[in-house]
Amino acid sequence: MSAASKVVIPPNLEAQIDPFLKAMPIENRNVPRIAQLVSLLNSGNSKIRENAATLLAALCFEAPNRDHLRDEGYIGPILSILKDADPAVSRHGTFAAMSLANLDKNKDYIRDNNLLSLYFDALGKPPSPAPPQFIQNLMHGVLLLATNQQNREIIGSNTAYIKSLSSVLLNMSEWDPAIGDKVVNTLVSVSVSKVGRETAMREGGAIAALVAALHKRQDDHDLATKILPALFNLSIIEPNREAIRAAGGLTELSRRVSLPQPQHDNLITLCLRTFTNLSVDKATCAYVATNNLFGEFIKILWSKNDAMINHALSAIQNLLDDDECLESFNRSHAIPPLVRVVGVYSTMPIPQQQAGTPASPIPAILAKAVLLLSELFGLQDAQHEFLELDNNPIGVLLSAYSCPVLDVHKNCTRALANLSQFHDNIRGRLGVSGVIPPIIQQLQQKDREAVRQALRALTNLSLNANNAIIIYKANILDTIIAMCNISDQELRVLATKILVNMTMHEPLRAPLSDKGGMQIALQLMASADDPEVQLQGAKLVTNFALYGKNRKAMTERGFGKVLQEYEQSAVKRASSSPAAALLQTQIETALGNLSFPYEEKYEDKPIELAAAQPSLDQLELEEAMQRELDRRAEEEAAAEEEERLRALMEVEKEKERRRVEEEKAQVEEAKRKLEERRRDDERRKQAEAALRKKREEEEAKRKADEEAQRKALEERKKKEEAEARRRVELERKRVEEERKRKEEEARKAREEKERREREEAARREAERREKEERERKALEERERLQREEEDRKMQEIKEEQKKREQEEKLRKMREDAARRAREAEAQRAKEEADRKAREENERRERERREAEQRAKEEKERRDREEKEREVQRAREEAERKAAEERERKEREEAARLEKERLARIAREERERADREEAARKAREEEEVALRRKEEELALRQQEITRKEAMLKKMKEDEDAARQAAAAEIAAAAAAISAAASGHSGSSVPSPGRARATATSFVNTYQRDKEPITTGADVKARSMTWKAATSPATSPRETEQEKAAKLAKRARISQELISVERGYVRNLSIIIKLFLNPLQSAVNSRKPILPADRIKKIFGIVEVIYNYNSLLLEGLDSRIRRWQENQAAPLLVGDIFIKMCDYMQCYSTYINNYDDATNLLRESKRSNEKFAQFIAKAETDPECRMQELESFLIHPVQQLPRYILLLSDMLRSTPQDHPDLVPLTQAVERMRKLTEFVNEQKRQAEDTAKMAAIQRRIVGKNNNVLAAGRKFIKEGPCQYNSTTMKEKDREQFKDIMYVFLFNDMLVFTTSRTKGSVIGSKTSTEYKWREHLPLSNKTFINAASGGDRAFMVQDTQLGKLYTLTFPSPADRQQWLQKLTMALAALSAKGV
């Protein structure tokens, strides 16, 4: 049996197929009927092809035939129907294509025989017009084919196929669910193909089509549930993400993310998954930040859906890689929901994962939420928002450590590290809250990132003193020290920073040193290949050396030599490496600390002014006596020098007394003039009061007249207003009656019109219904005839072909007759409609003309009435305006008079007030000047009195010294004799006293072997010897005076240590609250301020803090031990002598201070983030409501403060006190240091001024910078020169500008230069010529009178005549130029 015999032909189809085949001209009728039908598909008659396609499609719907048609190879020919150009034929092909695809074996057959293209070609180029259900049937077939995995791969990898599918969606003007849903389902199913996901879906336009479907069906959430998984898969590929954004996918996702919860939780979750992939790109971040979508994400964080929260956190995590998104997320107040997520999920138990079940989302949610918090903690305002929450936010963050997942712990530690990087009060709060123990536990982890975050957190937390102590007590120093030796450079640096921060706190320097900290510092310094590690080692040495015992130990171990070697190495690399330059600076600071002397007192030993010496024999004592006689001779010479100085002081004192008397006379004269001026002011005030009273009376009278005029005017105005109201009321009544009449007429016309329209509408409705009934009957008749014709046609198919053709002709004739009948009927209906239309138009035209006539008459009547009313209104308006104009003129005249009167009074009042204010200020200035002069006189009088007392005291002291000299030598000799012979008695000093006296004598001699060059030195040595050899009770000072001085000295010492402690505390506040957080943020993603600006603002404040910490330690040790043993003298002078060399660094800070403060103010204005940081830091309780500027000025004020305190202490130091000479030297060195700093400041200012002048001068030979050159003065003048050309004399006589330097004059012309942006202008000066100054330069009088002088250079042969704006200017220039020439002459220039 042939395969064709297997094709099942149902009886109903057989009755149609057999007659049809018999009637067709088929050449081979021996083949099966299915083959005959297939052969007819090639017929040139479209009707035959249509009938054959119809029958073949019907056979394909029989389930058994799908296998038979495949086995016999008829699927290809049948599917070729889709290519037929006749839409009626191809339409039946879509039914066959849909039916054949509904079988798995046929799907493979269609794929293997390359028949898929027939489907997609028909989709891509459908016939026009496309028959009904054409696209729908094709899409159904394609959807069935796509259920096969291999078919999906082929479709998904073929761009042309994808483009065909996409074009269906993109060309759909209105959504057709029957087609659109199938296309979407197909695209979604093939999107899982690898090739399709990577290229074809994008290049074929499928992404744009799917997004367009989302846009067209915004409320179809089921469709979105199908499309979003496909977009999620596609968004894994970067080009696909760009295509989704270009098609508007972000807008559609955003629209669905904002859907209400919880009914759309599943859809929102799908959107969030896609957002997670898209958010890795900058474009998505920019879209989210611009459209503020974080608000929708934050709403999701408040929900209870784990999946939604998880995906929302993932999307936000990707978005926060962008700085703009981070700022936008923070502005959305994300901290509270994130803290809520951490708090809720950290208390949830994590269920045990079963085989085949997904893992619990709790750890992932916790890890992501804490990570987002850590990102936000990089922003200051986010930190403050977090800490201001009411639900113990730090405790909530710590609760996340209860989750047994390492990623959660790492992120928590990272969050704490970021939270503690800025403000010290936050660090203190974190330490008190117990964050350090869980951080320390992270150090034991094997995960590098966990250890790194723990080290970061401990580095920041250890900047707080209390936290540093907690870390020390936690017994993890061994672990941290061990990490200082590991190979990982980053972890190594972090570990060393922890040690450096801990050694910043004084209580920990000794314990850390005992733990091996100094050895670690040496090991770090030996890391020559890593300058950063070396720098931390140098900082460690610097901090350790602040403690006395450590300095001693480090000195004994040779730290200084090692550091010098490292310093030499750093100097070689400093020019090419900024890190090496920093290392060099730090090593210099460390060496400075090590060079600060170590004293025995640091080891808790009692202070002894002099160590015990062995007994001296008689010979040594005699030699000492001889040396003392030699000293006496030197003292006599010193006394003579002092006498000469005293005489000079007497002369100076007399001059000062005369000057004081003259100034007193001047003050008395000023008082007298001031009193006269006061009396004049009183008389003037009385005259002004009388004048003011007279004016007030005149003003009261004028006001009464004006009030009477105003009342009369108001009365007239009231009458006119009443008359106007009456006229208006009459007009209103007339207008109201007219309006009512018109409304009544309009109402009647409207009712008549509505009645006619209703009658006309009823008539037209009856005609329409009659017409529709006729048309319906005609249509039914035509359909009946068509059905009968079709029945006859199918009957005639069973007859012979000839009869069928005859019947066909008859049918066509009947169809023509029916067509003609229809056309005749249509013609009659058209003529009837035209007739009715003409009648309707004629009726409407009549009604229109009647209405227009009525309207015209009504309009004419209204116009006449309106003209009459207009005339009446114009007349009334003219009268009203005339009245108003009169009133306005009267008011304006009154207002003008009133304004002039008030202006006159105000002008007189201002003049009076200005005179009084000027007089008051003059009186105040004179009073202030007078008080100042009185104070200066009092101070000078006190100084004179003090000098007289000092001279008298010095004379008495010298006399007493001469009288006691012989007794002292005799006492010393007696002591020596007693010591040698062993005698002891009440009149002979004890052996111990003798030994001490002799030892002091010898020590004094050893110190005085240096040459004495001045009277001051002689006096100082004399006082030192007297302090060493005088008995306990000095005749120069009474015990009461000495006790009073010592008591005052003790109070001053307490004030000194208090001032120094407060100063060091202020420096530490600058470093701890401002400098360290800014430096920590430099390496963050968004630094608060660039490193170079930080350096310029804070300068060397760390170096100053370091050295003053040394000073504080020395003072504190001395004063503390003196308080324990007040019998021993308190010595502080030697400490300040040692510190003077260290304090020269103040010059660098003070020179930079003005630029630093200007840069600070400018940065606060231009950098909002920096301004917020400074404002927040200044609210720290340690700042005590002070601003940063008030802290930065402390180093500028400190040196004068030292001089005042030490001078007070020196005045309160008894003359026999051992600290007298060192303290005197300390005061003198401090003054010299201050002078040096001031000189350096002045030189820096001069250099800056010279550079500024250099920038302002343009032209040839404009270089004014030279070694030793200093600026003196500048200003305008007229000048005439023997070297000036005649044509230039008139041009430059009014516009010259002169600069005077210490070695030359520069002549320039000035011009104003405008700014390109804004209205700012600047002045620049063009170089004309210059005159070098030398001993050949002379100043002569000029003919210009008191405003000019001449400058002549005899060597160069030049003569300049300079004319200045005023005599005062001329005097100033003459003085400055004369001084400059004198200075050059003194140098021999």
Side-chain angles (χ1 to χ4, degrees):
M1 184 179 293
S2 65
S5 63
K6 293 183 179 181
V7 176
V8 177
I9 301 177
N12 59 336
L13 287 179
E14 189 173 7
Q16 298 180 30
I17 292 175
D18 290 342
F20 174 70
L21 291 177
K22 288 179 182 180
M24 294 294 103
I26 299 174
E27 295 179 358
N28 186 4
R29 293 186 178 275
N30 295 324
V31 297
R33 287 175 290 184
I34 184 68
Q36 295 179 34
L37 288 172
V38 170
S39 66
L40 292 175
L41 295 176
N42 298 321
S43 172
N45 190 327
S46 61
K47 197 64 180 179
I48 295 175
R49 295 199 307 274
E50 180 183 358
N51 292 333
T54 302
L55 295 172
L56 286 172
L59 288 174
C60 291
F61 276 102
E62 299 296 328
N65 290 343
R66 298 170 191 165
D67 286 319
H68 301 326
L69 293 172
R70 181 189 69 250
D71 295 339
E72 297 173 8
Y74 290 117
I75 290 181
I78 292 174
L79 291 179
S80 65
I81 301 173
L82 297 173
K83 299 190 295 182
D84 199 295
D86 190 341
V89 179
S90 59
R91 178 174 69 88
H92 297 292
T94 60
F95 287 103
M98 178 179 63
S99 178
L100 291 173
N102 195 17
L103 188 67
D104 291 341
K105 291 183 179 181
N106 287 355
K107 298 172 185 176
D108 296 333
Y109 180 86
I110 292 171
R111 179 188 69 249
D112 296 339
N113 289 275
N114 297 324
L115 299 178
L116 283 172
S117 60
L118 295 174
Y119 286 84
F120 291 101
D121 289 345
L123 278 175
K125 296 181 180 179
S128 181
Q133 294 189 326
F134 183 88
I135 301 296
Q136 180 179 349
N137 294 340
L138 269 180
M139 282 309 310
H140 190 73
V142 170
L143 184 59
L144 291 172
L145 290 171
T147 58
N148 182 282
Q149 174 65 29
Q150 294 179 345
N151 287 348
R152 285 199 301 272
E153 292 291 337
I154 292 174
I155 297 172
S157 61
N158 192 311
T159 304
Y161 293 171
I162 300 298
K163 190 175 293 184
S164 299
L165 292 170
S166 303
S167 63
V168 175
L169 284 181
L170 295 174
N171 296 331
M172 193 181 298
S173 58
E174 293 186 3
W175 186 262
D176 185 353
I179 298 175
D181 290 356
K182 290 182 175 62
V183 177
V184 168
N185 290 336
T186 305
L187 289 175
V188 169
S189 64
V190 301
S191 65
V192 298
S193 164
K194 180 179 179 182
V195 179
R197 187 169 62 245
E198 292 179 352
T199 58
M201 291 290 287
R202 179 181 68 259
E203 295 175 357
I207 293 176
L210 291 174
V211 174
L214 287 175
H215 180 68
K216 292 177 181 178
R217 303 288 291 173
Q218 295 180 7
D219 297 330
D220 191 342
H221 303 314
D222 293 334
L223 180 67
T225 306
K226 298 175 184 177
I227 294 176
L228 288 173
L231 292 179
F232 168 71
N233 291 331
L234 292 170
S235 61
I236 297 173
I237 310 300
E238 181 177 357
N240 290 349
R241 295 196 291 270
E242 181 58 35
I244 292 173
R245 284 192 293 270
L250 289 174
T251 303
E252 300 304 321
L253 291 173
S254 304
R255 182 179 291 118
R256 287 163 177 80
V257 165
S258 60
L259 290 173
Q261 307 168 20
Q263 57 266 37
H264 296 105
D265 282 1
N266 185 37
L267 186 59
I268 295 174
T269 303
L270 293 174
C271 291
L272 291 172
R273 291 178 62 201
T274 310
F275 247 124
T276 302
N277 288 346
L278 292 172
S279 58
V280 299
D281 298 329
K282 293 289 185 182
T284 305
C285 296
Y287 178 87
V288 172
T290 303
N291 294 276
N292 194 22
L293 293 184
F294 284 116
E296 301 300 332
F297 292 156
I298 289 173
K299 291 179 184 177
I300 295 171
L301 297 182
W302 289 106
S303 69
K304 298 181 180 180
N305 189 312
D306 294 347
M308 283 174 54
I309 294 175
N310 192 14
H311 290 301
L313 292 172
S314 298
I316 296 171
Q317 181 179 340
N318 290 342
L319 289 169
L320 293 195
D321 289 338
D322 181 78
D323 293 340
E324 187 176 355
C325 280
L326 182 62
E327 296 283 355
S328 178
F329 186 51
N330 180 46
R331 288 194 297 270
S332 302
H333 301 289
I335 293 291
L338 287 174
V339 172
R340 175 253 173 197
V341 170
V342 173
V344 170
Y345 284 89
S346 50
T347 58
M348 288 185 179
I350 302 176
Q352 188 71 26
Q353 184 178 1
Q354 302 296 329
T357 60
S360 171
I362 293 176
I365 291 174
L366 262 179
K368 294 172 186 176
V370 177
L371 180 62
L372 295 183
L373 282 175
S374 70
E375 291 289 344
L376 288 172
F377 288 161
L379 305 175
Q380 299 180 63
D381 47 355
Q383 293 185 4
H384 307 327
E385 184 179 3
F386 172 77
L387 294 172
E388 289 170 0
L389 296 179
D390 298 332
N391 54 348
N392 186 18
I394 299 176
V396 172
L397 190 58
L398 287 177
S399 66
Y401 279 106
S402 61
C403 177
V405 178
L406 182 59
D407 285 343
V408 178
H409 295 179
K410 286 192 293 188
N411 291 342
C412 282
T413 309
R414 184 174 185 267
L416 292 172
N418 292 346
L419 186 59
S420 58
Q421 65 179 333
F422 291 133
H423 301 293
D424 192 68
N425 57 347
I426 296 179
R427 298 188 197 106
R429 183 173 172 182
L430 291 174
V432 173
S433 300
V435 303
I436 295 178
I439 294 174
I440 291 174
Q441 292 179 3
Q442 297 301 302
L443 288 178
Q444 314 303 325
Q445 300 291 339
K446 296 182 179 180
D447 184 88
R448 180 188 180 279
E449 181 62 18
V451 175
R452 188 179 81 88
Q453 296 300 340
L455 290 174
R456 281 187 64 234
L458 291 176
T459 300
N460 292 337
L461 290 169
S462 60
L463 290 170
N464 180 272
N466 294 332
N467 293 344
I469 295 173
I470 295 174
I471 295 171
Y472 175 77
K473 292 181 179 180
N475 297 323
I476 60 162
L477 282 182
D478 294 338
T479 303
I480 297 175
I481 290 174
M483 288 185 180
C484 293
N485 298 317
I486 62 179
S487 59
D488 191 313
Q489 194 265 352
E490 184 180 10
L491 300 184
R492 188 180 182 189
V493 170
L494 288 173
T496 57
K497 285 183 177 180
I498 295 175
L499 293 179
V500 170
N501 292 345
M502 294 179 71
T503 54
M504 290 173 61
H505 309 296
E506 182 180 357
L508 296 178
R509 289 173 188 147
L512 289 173
S513 176
D514 296 339
K515 288 279 188 178
M518 289 188 288
Q519 187 63 32
I520 289 295
L522 275 183
Q523 294 175 7
L524 297 175
M525 292 292 296
S527 303
D529 57 336
D530 193 341
E532 176 64 24
V533 174
Q534 279 189 307
L535 178 63
Q536 299 305 321
K539 289 183 177 180
L540 205 56
V541 173
T542 303
N543 292 345
F544 276 131
L546 291 174
Y547 182 60
K549 281 187 178 181
N550 291 347
R551 281 204 301 281
K552 178 182 179 182
M554 294 164 83
T555 303
E556 292 173 351
R557 296 182 188 180
F559 268 62
K561 185 177 181 181
V562 174
L563 286 176
Q564 289 174 355
E565 295 175 357
Y566 289 137
E567 182 185 20
Q568 294 173 0
S569 175
V571 169
K572 295 178 182 178
R573 295 178 292 159
S575 59
S576 59
S577 172
L582 290 175
L583 176 62
Q584 176 191 351
T585 303
Q586 192 62 47
I587 292 176
E588 290 174 355
T589 306
L591 286 170
N593 288 3
L594 283 175
S595 64
F596 192 78
Y598 169 80
E599 302 180 25
E600 291 295 326
K601 61 181 177 298
Y602 292 118
E603 294 186 349
D604 296 330
K605 292 182 178 179
I607 299 177
E608 296 180 1
L609 293 179
Q613 299 288 339
S615 301
L616 299 176
D617 55 21
Q618 186 70 23
L619 181 60
E620 290 174 339
L621 291 175
E622 290 177 356
E623 292 177 354
M625 293 283 292
Q626 184 60 43
R627 287 194 297 271
E628 177 58 23
L629 293 176
D630 296 339
R631 172 187 287 279
R632 292 297 299 277
E634 294 175 355
E635 278 192 27
E636 290 177 359
E640 293 176 359
E641 179 66 20
E642 289 177 1
E643 185 64 28
R644 187 180 65 81
L645 291 175
R646 188 161 45 249
L648 291 175
M649 290 179 66
E650 288 291 341
V651 174
E652 184 66 26
K653 182 177 68 174
E654 184 62 27
K655 290 181 180 179
E656 183 70 21
R657 184 178 292 107
R658 285 197 298 270
R659 188 162 55 251
V660 169
E661 292 295 335
E662 292 173 356
E663 290 179 354
K664 282 183 178 179
Q666 293 175 1
V667 170
E668 292 296 331
E669 180 65 20
K671 285 182 177 179
R672 184 184 61 76
K673 291 182 179 179
L674 181 62
E675 186 62 29
E676 290 178 357
R677 191 176 291 109
R678 284 175 181 170
R679 288 195 294 270
D680 293 341
D681 289 342
E682 288 295 331
R683 289 193 295 270
R684 181 177 51 79
K685 286 181 180 179
Q686 292 174 0
E688 287 178 352
L691 180 61
R692 195 181 303 112
K693 183 177 180 181
K694 182 178 179 181
R695 286 178 179 172
E696 288 175 354
E697 292 173 353
E698 293 175 354
E699 180 67 18
K701 182 179 180 181
R702 187 190 59 79
K703 285 184 177 179
D705 295 339
E706 288 178 351
E707 181 66 20
Q709 293 175 2
R710 185 184 62 80
K711 288 181 178 180
L713 185 62
E714 286 179 354
E715 185 67 26
R716 186 171 67 253
K717 185 176 179 181
K718 287 179 180 179
K719 292 179 180 179
E720 292 175 351
E721 287 176 351
E723 181 64 21
R725 283 197 297 271
R726 186 183 63 78
R727 292 197 197 99
V728 169
E729 184 64 24
L730 292 175
E731 179 64 18
R732 186 185 62 77
K733 289 180 179 180
R734 188 184 62 79
V735 171
E736 183 67 22
E737 292 173 356
E738 183 67 21
R739 183 184 61 79
K740 289 180 179 180
R741 184 181 61 78
K742 289 180 180 180
E743 287 178 352
E744 182 63 25
E745 291 175 355
R747 183 183 61 78
K748 291 180 180 179
R750 191 166 53 252
E751 289 175 353
E752 179 64 22
K753 184 178 179 181
E754 289 174 354
R755 182 184 62 77
R756 291 177 182 176
E757 288 176 352
R758 285 196 298 271
E759 291 175 355
E760 182 62 24
R763 184 181 61 79
R764 285 198 296 269
E765 180 66 21
E767 290 175 354
R768 185 184 62 77
R769 289 179 181 175
E770 183 180 354
K771 180 180 177 181
E772 288 178 351
E773 183 64 23
R774 286 197 304 271
E775 289 176 351
R776 184 182 62 78
K777 289 180 179 180
L779 181 60
E780 287 176 354
E781 181 63 21
R782 286 195 298 273
E783 289 176 351
R784 184 183 62 77
L785 292 174
Q786 288 177 359
R787 285 195 299 273
E788 291 174 356
E789 184 63 28
E790 288 174 357
D791 292 338
R792 282 194 301 273
K793 180 182 175 182
M794 294 304 294
Q795 186 66 26
E796 288 169 358
I797 290 175
K798 298 178 182 180
E799 298 176 358
E800 296 177 355
Q801 181 66 25
K802 184 177 180 180
K803 185 177 179 180
R804 190 185 63 78
E805 291 176 352
Q806 293 175 354
E807 290 294 329
E808 181 68 14
K809 292 179 181 179
L810 182 61
R811 184 183 63 78
K812 288 182 178 180
M813 291 171 62
R814 285 196 295 269
E815 286 180 351
D816 291 339
R819 180 176 55 78
R820 287 193 294 272
R822 289 194 299 273
E823 289 175 352
E825 181 65 27
Q827 183 64 26
R828 287 194 298 273
K830 182 178 180 182
E831 291 174 352
E832 180 65 21
D834 292 340
R835 182 186 61 78
K836 292 180 178 180
R838 284 194 300 273
E839 293 176 353
E840 179 66 22
N841 290 337
E842 291 173 355
R843 184 185 61 79
R844 290 181 177 176
E845 183 64 22
R846 287 193 302 271
E847 292 177 352
R848 184 183 64 78
R849 286 195 295 269
E850 292 173 356
E852 287 178 352
Q853 183 63 27
R854 289 194 301 271
K856 184 178 181 181
E857 294 174 352
E858 180 66 18
K859 184 175 182 299
E860 291 175 351
R861 184 182 61 78
R862 285 199 301 270
D863 290 342
R864 287 193 302 272
E865 295 175 350
E866 185 64 23
K867 287 179 180 179
E868 293 173 357
R869 288 194 298 273
E870 284 292 335
V871 170
Q872 181 65 24
R873 282 198 296 269
R875 189 183 301 111
E876 294 174 353
E877 183 67 14
E879 294 175 354
R880 183 183 60 80
K881 286 184 177 180
E884 289 179 351
E885 182 66 19
R886 288 193 301 273
E887 294 175 0
R888 183 183 64 78
K889 289 181 178 179
E890 292 174 355
R891 288 196 300 271
E892 287 178 352
E893 181 64 20
R896 185 183 63 78
L897 295 174
E898 178 66 13
K899 184 176 181 181
E900 290 177 353
R901 186 185 62 78
L902 293 176
R904 186 178 66 257
I905 293 173
R907 185 170 59 254
E908 293 172 354
E909 188 66 22
R910 284 196 303 272
E911 292 173 354
R912 184 187 60 77
D914 291 342
R915 288 193 301 272
E916 291 180 354
E917 180 66 19
R920 184 185 62 79
K921 288 184 178 179
R923 287 195 302 273
E924 290 179 353
E925 290 173 356
E926 291 175 355
E927 289 172 357
V928 170
L930 188 61
R931 286 196 298 272
R932 189 181 297 115
K933 286 187 177 181
E934 290 175 349
E935 291 172 357
E936 290 175 356
L937 289 173
L939 291 175
R940 289 181 181 177
Q941 187 65 39
Q942 292 176 4
E943 183 67 18
I944 292 171
T945 305
R946 187 183 64 79
K947 288 181 180 179
E948 292 174 348
M950 184 179 67
L951 289 173
K952 183 178 180 181
K953 184 68 175 177
M954 290 173 59
K955 185 175 181 180
E956 293 174 356
D957 292 344
E958 290 299 319
D959 294 337
R962 290 190 185 94
Q963 294 173 4
E968 291 171 349
I969 294 174
I976 293 170
S977 300
S981 60
H983 295 295
S984 60
S986 59
S987 61
V988 181
S990 65
R993 173 67 182 276
R995 284 195 300 271
T997 304
T999 303
S1000 300
F1001 190 94
V1002 174
N1003 290 342
T1004 302
Y1005 174 77
Q1006 292 295 333
R1007 287 196 303 270
D1008 292 340
K1009 286 192 295 183
E1010 300 175 0
I1012 301 175
T1013 57
T1014 65
D1017 290 336
V1018 172
K1019 181 180 179 182
R1021 301 294 170 83
S1022 175
M1023 293 175 68
T1024 303
W1025 178 82
K1026 292 171 185 176
T1029 58
S1030 61
T1033 59
S1034 172
R1036 293 174 295 172
E1037 286 180 330
T1038 65
E1039 289 296 335
Q1040 292 81 2
E1041 292 176 344
K1042 186 175 181 180
K1045 284 189 175 183
L1046 289 176
K1048 185 176 181 181
R1049 176 182 168 86
R1051 291 194 298 272
I1052 296 174
S1053 66
Q1054 293 300 324
E1055 182 181 359
L1056 180 63
I1057 189 67
S1058 176
V1059 167
E1060 185 64 20
R1061 187 174 288 113
Y1063 176 56
V1064 172
R1065 182 179 66 249
N1066 290 334
L1067 294 177
S1068 70
I1069 289 173
I1070 296 175
I1071 296 171
K1072 180 172 63 173
L1073 300 186
F1074 298 96
L1075 178 57
N1076 284 343
L1078 290 172
Q1079 289 178 337
S1080 300
V1082 165
N1083 298 323
S1084 63
R1085 194 167 68 182
K1086 286 194 75 174
I1088 299 174
L1089 202 65
D1092 57 338
R1093 288 203 163 205
I1094 297 174
K1095 179 64 177 175
K1096 290 177 182 177
I1097 290 175
F1098 293 95
I1100 60 168
V1101 68
E1102 291 179 295
V1103 176
I1104 294 176
Y1105 169 75
N1106 174 80
Y1107 290 149
N1108 278 87
S1109 297
L1110 288 174
L1111 176 60
L1112 177 62
E1113 182 203 30
L1115 291 174
D1116 185 63
S1117 176
R1118 289 280 180 91
I1119 293 176
R1120 188 173 63 248
R1121 294 182 182 279
W1122 174 78
Q1123 290 173 342
E1124 296 173 357
N1125 180 19
Q1126 296 192 11
L1130 173 61
L1131 309 177
V1132 296
D1134 60 325
I1135 298 178
F1136 280 93
I1137 292 174
K1138 297 168 189 173
M1139 285 304 302
C1140 282
D1141 293 334
Y1142 295 85
M1143 290 185 178
Q1144 290 187 3
C1145 63
Y1146 273 77
S1147 174
T1148 303
Y1149 183 91
I1150 294 173
N1151 291 346
N1152 181 62
Y1153 173 74
D1154 292 338
D1155 294 337
T1157 52
N1158 292 334
L1159 181 59
L1160 173 63
R1161 298 188 189 101
E1162 189 273 330
S1163 299
K1164 288 168 70 174
R1165 286 194 301 269
S1166 60
N1167 188 336
E1168 182 180 358
K1169 189 175 181 181
F1170 175 68
Q1172 291 176 353
F1173 167 79
I1174 294 297
K1176 176 60 182 176
E1178 289 173 349
T1179 62
D1180 191 288
E1182 287 193 64
C1183 289
R1184 303 180 301 280
M1185 304 301 291
Q1186 296 184 54
E1187 297 181 349
L1188 175 58
E1189 288 90 334
S1190 63
F1191 287 106
L1192 292 176
I1193 200 174
H1194 281 300
V1196 179
Q1197 302 169 336
Q1198 192 63 14
L1199 292 181
R1201 189 177 290 119
Y1202 285 144
I1203 294 175
L1204 291 175
L1205 289 171
L1206 293 179
S1207 299
D1208 287 346
M1209 181 173 279
L1210 179 61
R1211 285 193 291 270
S1212 300
T1213 301
Q1215 296 180 4
D1216 60 350
H1217 198 285
D1219 201 24
L1220 182 64
V1221 173
L1223 198 56
T1224 304
Q1225 295 174 355
V1227 172
E1228 184 62 26
R1229 292 197 62 178
M1230 275 292 173
R1231 285 179 177 150
K1232 290 181 179 179
L1233 175 62
T1234 305
E1235 293 173 359
F1236 168 77
V1237 170
N1238 293 337
E1239 177 64 20
Q1240 292 294 312
K1241 174 68 172 174
R1242 187 186 61 77
Q1243 291 180 4
E1245 291 174 350
D1246 288 346
T1247 303
K1249 182 67 174 177
M1250 291 290 291
I1253 293 174
Q1254 179 66 57
R1255 289 192 296 270
R1256 292 160 60 192
I1257 298 179
V1258 298
K1260 297 181 180 179
N1261 303 321
N1262 65 335
N1263 185 16
V1264 300
L1265 299 179
R1269 179 169 296 161
K1270 295 180 181 179
F1271 168 77
I1272 298 177
K1273 187 173 177 58
E1274 63 177 297
C1277 78
Q1278 301 174 5
Y1279 98 118
N1280 192 357
S1281 169
T1282 57
T1283 62
M1284 183 182 293
K1285 296 179 181 179
E1286 189 64 31
K1287 64 178 182 179
D1288 293 336
R1289 296 181 186 274
E1290 185 67 21
Q1291 179 183 359
F1292 296 140
K1293 67 178 183 179
D1294 293 329
I1295 55 175
M1296 297 306 296
Y1297 200 85
V1298 185
F1299 293 90
L1300 172 62
F1301 301 94
N1302 63 333
D1303 60 348
M1304 72 173 179
L1305 272 169
V1306 176
F1307 300 95
T1308 68
T1309 54
S1310 63
R1311 64 180 181 182
T1312 301
K1313 182 175 64 175
S1315 177
V1316 178
I1317 300 174
S1319 60
K1320 293 183 178 180
T1321 59
S1322 60
T1323 303
E1324 67 179 15
Y1325 303 91
K1326 186 174 182 180
W1327 180 289
R1328 290 299 177 185
E1329 63 175 313
H1330 76 287
L1331 173 65
L1333 302 181
S1334 66
N1335 56 3
K1336 302 297 184 180
T1337 305
F1338 301 97
I1339 302 174
N1340 301 318
S1343 59
D1346 59 353
R1347 295 193 299 115
F1349 61 81
M1350 290 191 298
V1351 180
Q1352 182 180 10
D1353 191 302
T1354 58
Q1355 183 176 0
L1356 299 177
K1358 294 182 178 182
L1359 179 63
Y1360 297 87
T1361 301
L1362 307 182
T1363 304
F1364 297 94
S1366 67
D1369 290 334
R1370 183 248 189 203
Q1371 185 63 29
Q1372 292 178 5
W1373 275 93
L1374 184 61
Q1375 180 182 2
K1376 295 292 185 182
L1377 184 56
T1378 303
M1379 292 174 63
L1381 292 174
L1384 290 174
S1385 179
K1387 294 180 181 179
V1389 178

